[in-house]
Amino acid sequence: MTKLRLAIVGAGPAGIYAADILLKAERGFDVSIDLFEQLPAPYGLVRYGVAPDHPRIKGIITALRDVLDRGDIRIFGNVNFGTDITLEDLKRHYNAVIFSTGAVRDAGLDIPGIDLAGSYGAAEFVSWFDGHPDVPRTWPLEAESVAVIGNGNVALDVSRILAKHAEDLLPTEIPDNVYEILQKSPVTDVHVFGRRGPAQVKFTPLELRELGELRDVDMIVHDEDFEYDEQSKDAIASNKQVMVIDRVLQQWRQREVGSASRRLHLHFYAKPLEVLSDDDGRVRAFRYERTEPDGEGGVRGTGEIREVEIQALYRAVGYFGSPLPDIPFDTKHGVIPNHEGQVLRGDDNERMYGVYATGWIKRGPVGLIGHTKSDAMETIKHVINDQGNWWSPTDPDEESVDKLLRERGVEYTDLDGWHNLDQHEQALGAERGRARIKVVPRDEMVRVSNRASVSASTEE
Protein backbone atom coordinates (compact mmCIF):
# COMPACT_ATOMS: atom_id res chain seq x y z
CA MET A 1 0.00 0.00 0.00
CA THR A 2 1.16 3.56 -0.73
CA LYS A 3 2.51 5.41 2.28
CA LEU A 4 2.38 9.15 2.94
CA ARG A 5 5.40 10.45 4.83
CA LEU A 6 4.18 13.81 6.13
CA ALA A 7 6.15 16.51 7.93
CA ILE A 8 4.31 19.13 9.97
CA VAL A 9 6.28 22.22 11.02
CA GLY A 10 4.77 23.62 14.21
CA ALA A 11 3.48 21.57 17.16
CA GLY A 12 0.79 23.90 18.43
CA PRO A 13 -2.94 23.11 18.24
CA ALA A 14 -3.07 23.66 14.45
CA GLY A 15 -0.31 21.14 13.73
CA ILE A 16 -1.48 18.55 16.24
CA TYR A 17 -5.09 18.77 15.05
CA ALA A 18 -3.97 18.40 11.42
CA ALA A 19 -2.03 15.24 12.31
CA ASP A 20 -4.96 13.80 14.26
CA ILE A 21 -7.49 14.55 11.52
CA LEU A 22 -5.32 12.91 8.85
CA LEU A 23 -4.77 9.78 10.93
CA LYS A 24 -8.53 9.41 11.48
CA ALA A 25 -9.55 10.25 7.90
CA GLU A 26 -10.74 7.76 5.31
CA ARG A 27 -7.87 7.22 2.89
CA GLY A 28 -6.38 4.60 0.66
CA PHE A 29 -2.82 4.78 2.00
CA ASP A 30 -0.78 4.43 5.18
CA VAL A 31 0.48 7.51 7.01
CA SER A 32 3.64 8.36 8.94
CA ILE A 33 3.75 11.80 10.55
CA ASP A 34 6.63 13.76 12.07
CA LEU A 35 6.02 17.02 13.92
CA PHE A 36 8.86 19.56 14.03
CA GLU A 37 8.79 22.25 16.71
CA GLN A 38 11.35 25.00 17.27
CA LEU A 39 10.72 25.01 21.03
CA PRO A 40 11.69 22.06 23.26
CA ALA A 41 8.04 21.66 24.35
CA PRO A 42 4.85 21.32 22.27
CA TYR A 43 1.49 23.17 22.33
CA GLY A 44 2.61 26.52 20.89
CA LEU A 45 0.46 29.48 21.91
CA VAL A 46 -1.56 27.31 24.31
CA ARG A 47 1.60 27.06 26.43
CA TYR A 48 3.21 30.40 25.56
CA GLY A 49 0.45 32.72 24.38
CA VAL A 50 -2.35 32.49 26.94
CA ALA A 51 -2.32 33.97 30.43
CA PRO A 52 -1.50 31.37 33.12
CA ASP A 53 -4.69 32.07 35.09
CA HIS A 54 -6.96 30.53 32.43
CA PRO A 55 -7.98 27.14 33.87
CA ARG A 56 -9.94 26.16 30.75
CA ILE A 57 -6.68 26.00 28.80
CA LYS A 58 -5.80 22.87 30.78
CA GLY A 59 -8.66 21.11 29.02
CA ILE A 60 -7.25 22.02 25.62
CA ILE A 61 -3.78 20.80 26.62
CA THR A 62 -5.29 17.54 27.88
CA ALA A 63 -6.91 16.97 24.48
CA LEU A 64 -3.65 17.75 22.67
CA ARG A 65 -1.70 15.49 25.02
CA ASP A 66 -4.12 12.64 24.36
CA VAL A 67 -3.40 12.93 20.62
CA LEU A 68 0.38 12.88 21.07
CA ASP A 69 0.30 10.12 23.67
CA ARG A 70 -1.34 7.66 21.28
CA GLY A 71 2.17 7.09 19.94
CA ASP A 72 1.35 7.32 16.23
CA ILE A 73 2.93 10.77 15.78
CA ARG A 74 6.63 11.45 16.27
CA ILE A 75 7.73 14.84 17.57
CA PHE A 76 11.11 16.51 17.11
CA GLY A 77 11.38 19.48 19.46
CA ASN A 78 14.10 22.14 19.59
CA VAL A 79 14.42 21.94 15.79
CA ASN A 80 14.45 25.15 13.80
CA PHE A 81 13.12 25.06 10.25
CA GLY A 82 15.51 26.76 7.86
CA THR A 83 18.69 25.95 9.79
CA ASP A 84 18.40 22.59 11.56
CA ILE A 85 16.21 21.21 8.77
CA THR A 86 15.44 22.80 5.40
CA LEU A 87 12.83 22.53 2.68
CA GLU A 88 15.26 20.50 0.56
CA ASP A 89 15.73 18.11 3.50
CA LEU A 90 11.97 17.66 3.77
CA LYS A 91 11.69 16.92 0.05
CA ARG A 92 14.35 14.25 0.41
CA HIS A 93 12.61 12.48 3.31
CA TYR A 94 8.87 13.23 2.98
CA ASN A 95 6.03 13.32 0.47
CA ALA A 96 4.60 16.63 1.73
CA VAL A 97 4.83 19.26 4.46
CA ILE A 98 2.21 21.28 6.32
CA PHE A 99 3.29 24.55 7.92
CA SER A 100 1.41 25.38 11.11
CA THR A 101 3.80 27.93 12.58
CA GLY A 102 1.12 30.31 13.80
CA ALA A 103 1.51 34.06 14.27
CA VAL A 104 3.61 35.18 17.22
CA ARG A 105 4.74 38.71 16.33
CA ASP A 106 2.84 41.86 17.24
CA ALA A 107 0.94 43.63 14.50
CA GLY A 108 2.03 47.22 14.10
CA LEU A 109 0.19 50.39 15.15
CA ASP A 110 1.12 53.27 12.87
CA ILE A 111 0.92 56.32 15.10
CA PRO A 112 3.63 58.81 16.15
CA GLY A 113 5.57 57.79 19.24
CA ILE A 114 4.66 54.11 19.16
CA ASP A 115 8.36 53.18 19.31
CA LEU A 116 9.21 55.32 22.35
CA ALA A 117 10.94 53.78 25.34
CA GLY A 118 8.19 52.31 27.49
CA SER A 119 6.03 51.27 24.53
CA TYR A 120 5.73 47.51 24.04
CA GLY A 121 4.01 44.87 21.95
CA ALA A 122 1.54 42.74 23.86
CA ALA A 123 2.89 39.52 22.33
CA GLU A 124 6.32 40.22 23.80
CA PHE A 125 4.81 40.75 27.24
CA VAL A 126 2.68 37.61 26.99
CA SER A 127 5.74 35.58 25.99
CA TRP A 128 7.57 36.97 29.01
CA PHE A 129 4.93 36.21 31.62
CA ASP A 130 4.36 32.76 30.06
CA GLY A 131 8.04 31.87 30.47
CA HIS A 132 8.98 31.66 26.79
CA PRO A 133 12.60 30.50 26.65
CA ASP A 134 13.65 32.97 23.94
CA VAL A 135 12.70 36.23 25.65
CA PRO A 136 14.61 38.04 28.44
CA ARG A 137 14.07 36.90 32.02
CA THR A 138 13.35 40.48 33.13
CA TRP A 139 10.67 43.04 32.27
CA PRO A 140 10.64 46.77 33.13
CA LEU A 141 7.48 47.07 35.24
CA GLU A 142 8.14 50.58 36.51
CA ALA A 143 4.96 52.49 35.55
CA GLU A 144 2.17 53.52 37.90
CA SER A 145 -0.21 54.30 35.02
CA VAL A 146 -0.32 52.07 31.92
CA ALA A 147 -2.27 52.14 28.64
CA VAL A 148 -3.32 49.01 26.74
CA ILE A 149 -4.48 49.58 23.16
CA GLY A 150 -6.97 47.02 21.85
CA ASN A 151 -10.35 45.47 22.56
CA GLY A 152 -9.62 41.78 22.04
CA ASN A 153 -8.85 38.93 24.42
CA VAL A 154 -5.11 39.59 24.33
CA ALA A 155 -5.69 43.16 25.48
CA LEU A 156 -7.73 41.85 28.40
CA ASP A 157 -5.09 39.22 29.25
CA VAL A 158 -2.38 41.89 29.36
CA SER A 159 -4.57 44.27 31.36
CA ARG A 160 -5.53 41.58 33.85
CA ILE A 161 -1.94 40.47 34.47
CA LEU A 162 -0.84 44.10 34.91
CA ALA A 163 -3.65 44.91 37.35
CA LYS A 164 -3.78 41.62 39.26
CA HIS A 165 -1.89 41.29 42.53
CA ALA A 166 1.06 38.94 42.03
CA GLU A 167 0.20 36.68 44.96
CA ASP A 168 -3.14 35.88 43.31
CA LEU A 169 -1.19 34.28 40.45
CA LEU A 170 0.68 31.84 42.71
CA PRO A 171 -1.84 28.99 42.20
CA THR A 172 -0.96 29.08 38.48
CA GLU A 173 2.16 27.85 36.66
CA ILE A 174 3.66 31.34 36.57
CA PRO A 175 7.50 31.17 36.53
CA ASP A 176 9.37 32.40 39.59
CA ASN A 177 11.13 35.25 37.80
CA VAL A 178 7.78 36.57 36.52
CA TYR A 179 6.16 36.41 39.95
CA GLU A 180 9.06 38.25 41.58
CA ILE A 181 8.92 41.11 39.07
CA LEU A 182 5.12 41.41 39.11
CA GLN A 183 5.24 41.50 42.91
CA LYS A 184 7.35 44.69 42.76
CA SER A 185 5.19 46.43 40.16
CA PRO A 186 4.11 49.94 41.29
CA VAL A 187 1.07 49.99 38.97
CA THR A 188 -2.09 51.65 40.26
CA ASP A 189 -4.03 52.32 37.05
CA VAL A 190 -4.45 50.33 33.83
CA HIS A 191 -6.33 52.08 30.99
CA VAL A 192 -7.75 49.95 28.15
CA PHE A 193 -8.62 51.82 24.94
CA GLY A 194 -10.86 50.63 22.10
CA ARG A 195 -11.75 52.51 18.91
CA ARG A 196 -15.37 51.39 18.84
CA GLY A 197 -18.16 50.97 21.37
CA PRO A 198 -19.01 48.32 23.99
CA ALA A 199 -21.30 46.46 21.58
CA GLN A 200 -18.48 46.03 19.02
CA VAL A 201 -15.69 44.64 21.21
CA LYS A 202 -13.77 41.54 20.13
CA PHE A 203 -13.26 39.90 23.51
CA THR A 204 -15.43 37.10 24.86
CA PRO A 205 -17.79 37.27 27.87
CA LEU A 206 -15.61 34.91 29.89
CA GLU A 207 -12.56 37.13 29.47
CA LEU A 208 -14.56 40.16 30.53
CA ARG A 209 -16.02 38.47 33.61
CA GLU A 210 -12.54 37.50 34.75
CA LEU A 211 -11.58 41.17 34.87
CA GLY A 212 -14.41 41.90 37.26
CA GLU A 213 -13.28 39.14 39.63
CA LEU A 214 -9.88 40.69 40.37
CA ARG A 215 -9.24 41.22 44.06
CA ASP A 216 -8.69 44.81 45.22
CA VAL A 217 -9.16 46.23 41.71
CA ASP A 218 -11.91 48.71 40.88
CA MET A 219 -13.51 48.45 37.43
CA ILE A 220 -14.02 51.93 36.00
CA VAL A 221 -16.43 52.46 33.09
CA HIS A 222 -17.84 55.75 31.83
CA ASP A 223 -21.52 56.56 31.34
CA GLU A 224 -20.83 58.49 28.13
CA ASP A 225 -19.82 55.20 26.42
CA PHE A 226 -23.27 53.65 26.90
CA GLU A 227 -25.42 56.01 24.85
CA TYR A 228 -26.10 53.28 22.29
CA ASP A 229 -27.09 53.90 18.68
CA GLU A 230 -29.62 51.67 16.90
CA GLN A 231 -26.96 49.34 15.49
CA SER A 232 -25.57 48.72 18.97
CA LYS A 233 -29.04 48.11 20.39
CA ASP A 234 -29.75 45.63 17.59
CA ALA A 235 -26.45 43.82 18.25
CA ILE A 236 -27.29 43.48 21.94
CA ALA A 237 -30.80 42.23 21.18
CA SER A 238 -29.78 39.72 18.49
CA ASN A 239 -26.41 38.36 19.65
CA LYS A 240 -26.26 36.44 22.93
CA GLN A 241 -22.53 37.05 23.38
CA VAL A 242 -22.93 40.82 22.94
CA MET A 243 -25.92 40.75 25.29
CA VAL A 244 -23.86 39.07 28.02
CA ILE A 245 -20.99 41.52 27.55
CA ASP A 246 -23.41 44.44 27.86
CA ARG A 247 -24.93 42.90 30.99
CA VAL A 248 -21.51 42.60 32.64
CA LEU A 249 -20.59 46.18 31.76
CA GLN A 250 -23.93 47.49 32.99
CA GLN A 251 -23.35 45.74 36.32
CA TRP A 252 -19.98 47.42 36.62
CA ARG A 253 -21.63 50.80 36.12
CA GLN A 254 -23.56 50.18 39.34
CA ARG A 255 -20.56 49.17 41.45
CA GLU A 256 -19.18 51.29 44.25
CA VAL A 257 -15.58 52.27 43.46
CA GLY A 258 -12.86 54.12 45.30
CA SER A 259 -11.70 51.66 47.95
CA ALA A 260 -9.36 49.44 45.89
CA SER A 261 -5.61 50.01 45.62
CA ARG A 262 -5.69 49.49 41.83
CA ARG A 263 -8.05 50.57 39.08
CA LEU A 264 -8.76 49.15 35.64
CA HIS A 265 -10.35 51.73 33.32
CA LEU A 266 -12.22 50.79 30.14
CA HIS A 267 -12.30 53.58 27.54
CA PHE A 268 -14.48 53.00 24.47
CA TYR A 269 -14.82 55.24 21.39
CA ALA A 270 -11.12 56.11 21.58
CA LYS A 271 -9.09 56.30 18.34
CA PRO A 272 -5.31 56.25 18.95
CA LEU A 273 -3.55 59.37 17.67
CA GLU A 274 -0.14 59.65 19.31
CA VAL A 275 2.11 58.52 22.14
CA LEU A 276 3.71 61.58 23.76
CA SER A 277 7.22 61.60 25.21
CA ASP A 278 8.92 63.26 28.14
CA ASP A 279 12.27 65.05 27.94
CA ASP A 280 14.11 61.71 28.15
CA GLY A 281 12.29 60.19 25.18
CA ARG A 282 10.08 57.95 27.30
CA VAL A 283 6.33 57.48 27.20
CA ARG A 284 4.56 60.35 29.01
CA ALA A 285 0.95 60.32 27.76
CA PHE A 286 -1.46 58.77 25.30
CA ARG A 287 -3.44 61.07 23.00
CA TYR A 288 -6.63 59.90 21.32
CA GLU A 289 -9.64 61.21 19.46
CA ARG A 290 -13.10 60.61 20.82
CA THR A 291 -15.19 58.73 18.21
CA GLU A 292 -18.92 58.18 17.82
CA PRO A 293 -21.15 55.70 15.93
CA ASP A 294 -21.47 56.53 12.23
CA GLY A 295 -24.91 54.94 11.87
CA GLU A 296 -23.57 52.10 9.70
CA GLY A 297 -21.94 49.92 12.32
CA GLY A 298 -18.63 51.81 12.34
CA VAL A 299 -17.33 54.95 14.00
CA ARG A 300 -16.21 58.42 12.94
CA GLY A 301 -14.07 61.01 14.62
CA THR A 302 -15.67 63.78 16.64
CA GLY A 303 -12.69 66.13 16.63
CA GLU A 304 -12.49 65.99 20.43
CA ILE A 305 -8.91 65.23 21.48
CA ARG A 306 -8.08 63.79 24.88
CA GLU A 307 -4.93 62.78 26.74
CA VAL A 308 -4.21 60.35 29.58
CA GLU A 309 -0.98 60.55 31.52
CA ILE A 310 0.86 57.21 31.44
CA GLN A 311 4.40 55.90 31.76
CA ALA A 312 4.05 52.73 29.67
CA LEU A 313 1.94 51.50 26.77
CA TYR A 314 1.13 48.06 25.34
CA ARG A 315 -0.32 47.63 21.87
CA ALA A 316 -2.61 44.59 21.60
CA VAL A 317 -3.96 45.15 18.11
CA GLY A 318 -3.32 41.66 16.76
CA TYR A 319 -0.67 39.09 15.95
CA PHE A 320 1.31 38.78 12.73
CA GLY A 321 2.94 35.80 11.05
CA SER A 322 6.66 35.41 10.33
CA PRO A 323 8.23 34.45 6.99
CA LEU A 324 9.87 31.04 6.59
CA PRO A 325 12.95 30.28 4.47
CA ASP A 326 12.11 29.21 0.88
CA ILE A 327 8.35 29.53 1.52
CA PRO A 328 6.20 32.27 -0.08
CA PHE A 329 4.99 34.96 2.33
CA ASP A 330 2.36 37.68 2.12
CA THR A 331 4.01 40.63 3.86
CA LYS A 332 0.79 42.63 3.94
CA HIS A 333 -1.32 40.07 5.77
CA GLY A 334 1.41 38.06 7.54
CA VAL A 335 0.37 34.70 6.08
CA ILE A 336 1.59 32.07 3.63
CA PRO A 337 -0.37 32.67 0.40
CA ASN A 338 -2.65 29.70 -0.17
CA HIS A 339 -5.91 28.39 -1.56
CA GLU A 340 -7.72 26.36 1.10
CA GLY A 341 -4.36 25.43 2.58
CA GLN A 342 -2.62 24.65 -0.72
CA VAL A 343 0.40 26.97 -0.79
CA LEU A 344 0.71 29.27 -3.79
CA ARG A 345 3.93 30.64 -5.23
CA GLY A 346 4.25 34.35 -4.66
CA ASP A 347 5.38 35.29 -8.17
CA ASP A 348 2.72 33.64 -10.34
CA ASN A 349 0.11 32.39 -7.82
CA GLU A 350 0.56 28.83 -9.05
CA ARG A 351 0.49 25.81 -6.73
CA MET A 352 3.63 24.95 -4.80
CA TYR A 353 3.06 21.20 -4.87
CA GLY A 354 3.69 19.23 -1.72
CA VAL A 355 3.49 22.34 0.50
CA TYR A 356 0.45 23.17 2.65
CA ALA A 357 -0.52 25.49 5.50
CA THR A 358 -2.99 25.44 8.36
CA GLY A 359 -3.86 27.59 11.37
CA TRP A 360 -2.99 31.25 11.76
CA ILE A 361 -0.13 31.16 9.26
CA LYS A 362 -2.79 30.10 6.73
CA ARG A 363 -5.73 32.36 7.55
CA GLY A 364 -4.34 35.05 9.85
CA PRO A 365 -4.65 35.38 13.64
CA VAL A 366 -8.43 35.10 13.92
CA GLY A 367 -10.75 32.52 15.40
CA LEU A 368 -10.66 30.20 18.38
CA ILE A 369 -9.68 26.54 18.78
CA GLY A 370 -12.83 25.35 17.01
CA HIS A 371 -11.85 27.31 13.91
CA THR A 372 -8.42 25.67 14.02
CA LYS A 373 -9.99 22.21 13.75
CA SER A 374 -12.21 23.06 10.77
CA ASP A 375 -9.29 24.86 9.17
CA ALA A 376 -7.12 21.74 9.50
CA MET A 377 -9.87 19.58 7.99
CA GLU A 378 -9.90 21.76 4.87
CA THR A 379 -6.13 21.48 4.45
CA ILE A 380 -6.05 17.72 5.11
CA LYS A 381 -8.75 17.18 2.48
CA HIS A 382 -6.38 18.59 -0.12
CA VAL A 383 -3.39 16.63 1.20
CA ILE A 384 -5.37 13.42 0.70
CA ASN A 385 -6.72 14.36 -2.73
CA ASP A 386 -3.36 15.62 -4.03
CA GLN A 387 -1.68 12.21 -3.98
CA GLY A 388 -0.66 12.59 -7.63
CA ASN A 389 1.28 15.75 -6.76
CA TRP A 390 3.15 14.53 -3.69
CA TRP A 391 6.92 14.70 -3.65
CA SER A 392 8.90 11.54 -4.39
CA PRO A 393 11.47 11.38 -1.57
CA THR A 394 14.78 9.71 -2.29
CA ASP A 395 15.28 8.65 1.36
CA PRO A 396 11.89 8.13 3.04
CA ASP A 397 13.20 5.85 5.78
CA GLU A 398 11.97 7.07 9.16
CA GLU A 399 15.35 6.61 10.83
CA SER A 400 16.99 8.89 8.25
CA VAL A 401 15.60 12.00 9.95
CA ASP A 402 17.03 11.07 13.34
CA LYS A 403 20.37 10.43 11.67
CA LEU A 404 20.28 13.76 9.81
CA LEU A 405 19.63 15.76 12.97
CA ARG A 406 22.28 13.90 14.95
CA GLU A 407 24.85 14.47 12.20
CA ARG A 408 24.12 18.18 12.34
CA GLY A 409 24.52 18.25 16.09
CA VAL A 410 20.90 19.20 16.73
CA GLU A 411 20.02 18.44 20.35
CA TYR A 412 16.41 17.60 19.64
CA THR A 413 13.76 16.47 22.10
CA ASP A 414 11.08 13.82 21.56
CA LEU A 415 7.79 12.76 23.11
CA ASP A 416 9.49 10.92 25.96
CA GLY A 417 11.50 14.07 26.54
CA TRP A 418 8.34 16.14 26.80
CA HIS A 419 7.00 13.66 29.36
CA ASN A 420 10.22 14.12 31.35
CA LEU A 421 9.88 17.92 31.27
CA ASP A 422 6.17 17.78 32.05
CA GLN A 423 6.77 15.59 35.11
CA HIS A 424 9.70 17.73 36.23
CA GLU A 425 7.64 20.94 36.09
CA GLN A 426 4.81 19.31 38.01
CA ALA A 427 7.27 18.09 40.64
CA LEU A 428 8.68 21.60 41.03
CA GLY A 429 5.16 22.85 41.59
CA ALA A 430 4.25 20.09 44.04
CA GLU A 431 7.15 21.11 46.28
CA ARG A 432 5.35 24.42 46.85
CA GLY A 433 1.75 23.29 46.65
CA ARG A 434 1.28 24.39 43.04
CA ALA A 435 0.19 22.46 39.96
CA ARG A 436 3.32 23.31 37.97
CA ILE A 437 6.26 25.69 37.77
CA LYS A 438 7.56 26.16 34.25
CA VAL A 439 11.20 25.64 33.41
CA VAL A 440 12.20 28.78 31.52
CA PRO A 441 15.75 28.56 30.07
CA ARG A 442 15.89 26.63 26.79
CA ASP A 443 19.06 24.74 27.62
CA GLU A 444 17.58 23.56 30.91
CA MET A 445 14.39 22.47 29.13
CA VAL A 446 16.51 20.38 26.78
CA ARG A 447 18.60 18.89 29.60
CA VAL A 448 15.52 17.90 31.58
CA SER A 449 13.85 16.49 28.49
CA ASN A 450 16.87 14.40 27.62
CA ARG A 451 17.15 13.01 31.15
CA ALA A 452 20.39 14.73 32.14
CA SER A 453 20.71 15.72 35.78
CA VAL A 454 19.69 19.30 36.45
CA SER A 455 19.30 21.69 39.29
CA ALA A 456 15.84 21.88 40.80
CA SER A 457 15.88 25.62 40.11
CA THR A 458 13.94 26.95 37.14
CA GLU A 459 16.14 30.02 36.81
CA GLU A 460 19.75 30.60 35.91
Side-chain angles (χ1 to χ4, degrees):
M1 180 180 283
T2 303
K3 185 173 186 177
L4 168 63
R5 286 273 292 137
L6 177 67
I8 299 178
V9 178
I16 294 173
Y17 285 141
D20 186 43
I21 289 167
L22 176 58
L23 286 166
K24 293 177 178 177
E26 291 187 17
R27 47 188 163 74
F29 50 83
D30 289 334
V31 175
S32 170
I33 300 176
D34 289 344
L35 275 169
F36 293 92
E37 169 57 51
Q38 67 171 347
L39 294 170
Y43 308 146
L45 280 181
V46 179
R47 179 174 165 98
Y48 290 117
V50 180
D53 55 349
H54 278 323
R56 73 184 188 280
I57 296 303
K58 293 178 182 177
I60 298 172
I61 286 182
T62 298
L64 298 175
R65 180 187 291 117
D66 288 345
V67 174
L68 293 182
D69 284 355
R70 286 201 313 257
D72 50 6
I73 303 167
R74 292 197 305 178
I75 182 167
F76 294 88
N78 203 41
V79 176
N80 186 56
F81 175 77
T83 54
D84 297 331
I85 197 163
T86 67
L87 184 62
E88 288 306 311
D89 294 328
L90 296 181
K91 288 181 177 179
R92 190 161 56 251
H93 299 292
Y94 297 91
N95 299 103
V97 59
I98 299 175
F99 288 96
S100 57
T101 50
V104 297
R105 292 188 294 163
D106 283 288
L109 180 61
D110 188 16
I111 60 172
I114 196 63
D115 294 323
L116 288 170
S119 177
Y120 311 100
E124 299 174 62
F125 184 56
V126 173
S127 293
W128 172 74
F129 67 59
D130 270 334
H132 194 292
D134 297 337
V135 301
R137 301 286 90 84
T138 60
W139 192 272
L141 290 179
E142 302 161 349
E144 294 183 2
S145 183
V146 182
V148 178
I149 314 303
N151 262 173
N153 284 343
V154 175
L156 294 195
D157 271 358
V158 168
S159 304
R160 192 178 64 258
I161 295 298
L162 287 169
K164 196 168 189 173
H165 292 276
E167 54 267 31
D168 294 337
L169 286 165
L170 279 177
T172 75
E173 58 187 43
I174 187 170
D176 285 345
N177 64 305
V178 176
Y179 167 73
E180 290 164 5
I181 292 172
L182 286 172
Q183 191 179 36
K184 298 173 184 176
S185 171
V187 70
T188 59
D189 292 86
V190 178
H191 298 267
V192 186
F193 295 92
R195 187 173 58 87
R196 301 205 291 171
Q200 289 81 39
V201 295
K202 298 297 185 183
F203 42 72
T204 56
L206 179 61
E207 297 277 347
L208 189 64
R209 284 198 194 97
E210 287 175 344
L211 279 187
E213 296 168 357
L214 297 180
R215 179 183 63 85
D216 191 33
V217 178
D218 278 340
M219 301 304 303
I220 310 295
V221 293
H222 305 277
D223 289 341
E224 64 178 346
D225 290 335
F226 295 90
E227 298 172 2
Y228 289 142
D229 65 338
E230 290 305 314
Q231 281 74 19
S232 294
K233 293 177 182 177
D234 290 344
I236 293 168
S238 62
N239 186 305
K240 184 176 181 180
Q241 180 164 298
V242 178
M243 179 184 67
V244 174
I245 287 172
D246 176 65
R247 185 182 301 156
V248 172
L249 293 172
Q250 297 292 349
Q251 290 171 352
W252 291 354
R253 293 178 69 187
Q254 309 305 317
R255 283 188 182 181
E256 292 287 335
V257 297
S259 60
S261 67
R262 296 180 178 181
R263 292 159 293 280
L264 205 159
H265 310 253
L266 297 183
H267 304 268
F268 301 100
Y269 296 113
K271 177 186 176 182
L273 292 181
E274 186 177 1
V275 186
L276 306 178
S277 69
D278 62 15
D279 293 338
D280 297 323
R282 299 190 59 82
V283 169
R284 176 183 66 79
F286 174 63
R287 178 178 291 165
Y288 64 97
E289 180 181 11
R290 179 76 179 169
T291 63
E292 64 181 7
D294 62 5
E296 299 177 358
V299 293
R300 61 189 169 217
T302 64
E304 180 186 352
I305 309 301
R306 300 182 181 181
E307 288 183 12
V308 174
E309 295 292 319
I310 57 171
Q311 299 87 47
L313 178 142
Y314 294 80
R315 70 181 189 279
V317 294
Y319 285 111
F320 203 77
S322 301
L324 296 161
D326 302 317
I327 303 300
F329 188 70
D330 181 339
T331 56
K332 180 180 179 181
H333 300 100
V335 298
I336 295 174
N338 69 91
H339 173 67
E340 297 182 347
Q342 298 169 302
V343 172
L344 306 175
R345 293 197 301 244
D347 50 356
D348 57 12
N349 231 29
E350 292 295 319
R351 284 280 315 280
M352 191 173 183
Y353 291 111
V355 184
Y356 303 84
T358 192
W360 281 5
I361 198 65
K362 167 188 172 183
R363 71 177 188 274
V366 292
L368 303 174
I369 292 294
H371 297 91
T372 302
K373 288 184 178 179
S374 58
D375 194 49
M377 290 178 68
E378 179 182 69
T379 296
I380 291 301
K381 176 188 70 175
H382 287 296
V383 173
I384 292 173
N385 294 336
D386 283 349
Q387 185 171 346
N389 295 314
W390 292 347
W391 299 328
S392 299
T394 57
D395 189 4
D397 184 74
E398 292 191 5
E399 300 307 314
S400 64
V401 180
D402 305 72
K403 181 180 178 183
L404 173 70
L405 294 174
R406 286 196 300 270
E407 288 175 348
R408 290 181 178 171
V410 179
E411 203 172 355
Y412 65 88
T413 61
D414 58 16
L415 184 58
D416 287 339
W418 163 238
H419 289 156
N420 291 340
L421 179 61
D422 187 33
Q423 292 165 10
H424 180 75
E425 291 181 338
Q426 291 183 54
L428 290 175
E431 293 172 3
R432 286 185 262 172
R434 297 167 59 185
R436 173 191 304 271
I437 297 176
K438 278 183 183 173
V439 173
V440 177
R442 180 185 284 263
D443 56 355
E444 186 175 344
M445 292 177 71
V446 173
R447 288 201 304 271
V448 172
S449 297
N450 292 339
R451 299 179 181 273
S453 61
V454 296
S455 164
S457 171
T458 62
E459 295 297 317
E460 291 185 340

